[in-house]
Amino acid sequence: MPQDKNKKGKSRNISYILYRRCFFIDLKVNGKKIDKYQKKVIKTKNRNNLVIAGAGSGKTFTIIAKIKYLTKQIAPEEILCLTFTKEAAKNLEEKLKKENIIIKVKTFHSLGYEIIRKHKNIEIADEKDLDKIIDKHLKQYKRINYIINKKFIRLGYPDPIYEKLENNIILNSDEKTKITNTIKTFISLYKSNNYKIKDFKKFNEINNKTNISDEKKRHYYFLRLVKRIIINYEYFLKKRQKIDYNDMINLSTKIIKNKGIDNYKYIIIDEYQDTSLNKANLIKEIQNKTGAKLLAVGDDWQSIYSFTGSNLEIFTNFKKIFKKAKIIKLKKTYRNSKELLKITSKFICKNKKQIPKKLKSNKTNKTPIHIYYYKENINEIWDEVLNKVKNTNTIILGRNNIDKGKVPKLSQNMKYLTIHKSKGLESENTVIINLEDDYKSLPSKIKDSKYLMYVKPEIDKYKYAEERRLFYVALTRSRNNTYLLVKKSNPSIFIEELKQISNNIVINDNCK
């Protein structure tokens, strides 16, 4: 009898090995075969895996192939597939359906809310709720002039009537919007990085060690104000049984710790470079309860969302956070030419804090970047650029939403996007505008408020680090050519840098 069992076991093993070999020979997604790097991702058996997927390396293709492989072994509902936006989740779901795979792709927030609703009757707070609380505290606070560093000239002793008048002047100016936005960003980063009220003691110690004189006083009054607002805001949420977006992550993590979660066997995360500390903690808690394996996919070169709480160290220190991890690099790109890869890789690798990688391509385009100079505005060269991209799928990229107003006209095959919105997309050609050396251009010179230093990780002190990654994202959207429209008298420092990096750039100077 034992011999028969062994024979059956060997027979099953041989059958499974033959099945796997046949599977990899036949495995296709949308009619395309996997490459050797993507095959490593699909075959890996490690508990924790980080896939570093450079621009155009078939990230989504690889995720779908991995899921296709997994569904031959486990049920689709045992796979937790996560991404960061509703649009990305919907897009991935639709692509999986084309492969006859029905899986609900979730955002981190939709997962968190789903877990919370199983255990609590709770509502999502409106952003206006926080606005009202901030507004109330600003009206009551007597030290706003210190916080915004505006001093009033007074004759005689301080007078309550004059103090009230000074506050009214401030609260009816643009300064109110600035300080309100700073407070909201502080609270979002505070919650996404799992800080507690007791941490304000540490914040004040940092203030005392770091700042001097008037600046120390300004930070003291700001921290005092924002602490009051947070306490009041948390009381408001608890009393009305409401949660905000960060609570969806933090509260669901606590619930999983205490009450468990569905028995997932595999977790797949797209765009992992955008992960915040509280999202990483959520994943670790799910793993602790289920023993699920993890496949995180992303690219540190494309990390552009620190203002929402994403922390690049969660990506670069993956092996420290998730033990016994394996790093796999997708090295072949199917979008960009080898010449464009050479230029963009040199540009992004100026910052040594990022993970080095060498991308390969079979595509050739000797001159993938074209710079078009103009004197005053892009109208001067627009028809010439349109003629170059006519009848092709083209996206126009700008640093800000307002940049769309600089575009003279859009043809049928063209659309405008901010660079942030273009992430994950590709087009035959790309046109990039707003490339001046200016405050709101690329790189943007708008600095974060110093008040955010307490809650925002200072992991990357390289000048314009995130703006550099943002420009890299813009440069790598194109399958063919990238057109940079530049004011000749005031070019972005990134343009000057690109010209020094490579000779494979065509200069069109209409200003001579």
Side-chain angles (χ1 to χ4, degrees), residues 167-255:
N167 266 27
N168 284 338
I169 291 169
I170 293 166
L171 295 175
N172 284 289
S173 70
D174 291 340
E175 297 295 342
K176 183 189 174 184
T177 302
K178 289 178 186 176
I179 194 64
T180 298
N181 288 338
T182 299
I183 291 168
K184 287 168 75 171
T185 303
F186 186 102
I187 293 171
S188 178
L189 292 171
Y190 167 91
K191 295 183 86 167
S192 67
N193 286 295
N194 283 344
Y195 288 113
K196 310 295 179 195
I197 286 296
K198 65 182 180 181
D199 289 308
F200 275 89
K201 184 179 178 182
K202 181 173 69 177
F203 298 160
N204 280 305
E205 287 171 0
I206 293 168
N207 179 28
N208 289 329
K209 288 179 184 177
T210 308
N211 299 316
I212 58 171
S213 189
D214 283 352
E215 190 167 22
K216 184 186 289 187
K217 187 184 285 187
R218 289 197 297 274
H219 280 243
Y220 168 77
Y221 284 126
F222 175 83
L223 289 170
R224 194 175 170 187
L225 171 64
V226 81
K227 182 181 177 181
R228 289 181 187 177
I229 291 169
I230 290 171
I231 291 170
N232 195 238
Y233 179 50
E234 292 302 320
Y235 175 76
F236 168 88
L237 293 174
K238 188 175 181 180
K239 189 177 179 181
R240 286 163 178 77
Q241 291 190 300
K242 291 185 176 184
I243 55 170
D244 63 18
Y245 281 96
N246 276 301
D247 292 329
M248 289 182 192
I249 309 301
N250 299 336
L251 183 54
S252 61
T253 303
K254 286 181 184 176
I255 289 171

Side-chain angles (χ1 to χ4, degrees), residues 1 34 152 158 160 190 207 238 242 302 326 416 422 441 489:
M1 288 294 288
I34 59 172
F152 291 87
Y190 167 91
N207 179 28
K238 188 175 181 180
K242 291 185 176 184
Q302 298 182 71
K326 184 177 183 180
Y416 175 84
S422 75
S441 296
S489 61

